[in-house]
Amino acid sequence: MIRGALASLGLVAVLAGCETTTSGGGTITPEMRQDYLVAVATVGCVLRDERQYGAIDFQAGLTREQTVAITSDYVARGKAQRVDDGNSIRITTGPCAA
């Protein structure tokens, strides 16, 4: 019984701390996602062009590939949405939740 409970807790811990891999083989950790969300909030939660992406890359210490991968993942999971202009993305999770 205890062994099963510990195994379940271990699985939860692994799932909660999931790392994902970018298309180029880079790793994205939960800490990187948190840094990304803090950086996105500083640019108004909308990614429009190079100015926002560059600021997020710099502030969060991410490569462009990592920033794009995290953004794409949030869009795919419904935690970001495309803005009416067709080129911008609004993040709707973390500090940017409406």
Side-chain angles (χ1 to χ4, degrees), residues 7 10 25 35 38 78 86:
D35 292 342
V38 170

Side-chain angles (χ1 to χ4, degrees), residues 20-24 28 33 36-37 40 45 47 53 56-57 62-82 87-93:
T20 55
T21 304
T22 64
S23 60
I28 298 172
R33 289 180 181 279
Y36 166 92
L37 289 174
V40 168
C45 300
L47 290 80
Y53 280 94
I56 293 164
D57 294 345
L62 300 171
T63 65
R64 179 57 51 90
E65 180 184 21
Q66 291 167 326
T67 299
V68 169
I70 293 169
T71 304
S72 297
D73 181 60
Y74 283 139
V75 170
R77 294 189 305 150
K79 296 185 177 199
Q81 59 192 20
R82 300 210 180 270
N87 296 319
S88 303
I89 297 173
R90 178 178 307 280
I91 303 301
T92 58
T93 190

Side-chain angles (χ1 to χ4, degrees), residues 25-50:
T27 300
I28 298 172
T29 65
E31 293 80 15
M32 291 169 142
R33 289 180 181 279
Q34 185 60 38
D35 292 342
Y36 166 92
L37 289 174
V38 170
V40 168
T42 69
V43 298
C45 300
V46 177
L47 290 80
R48 286 188 180 86
D49 56 36
E50 178 63 29

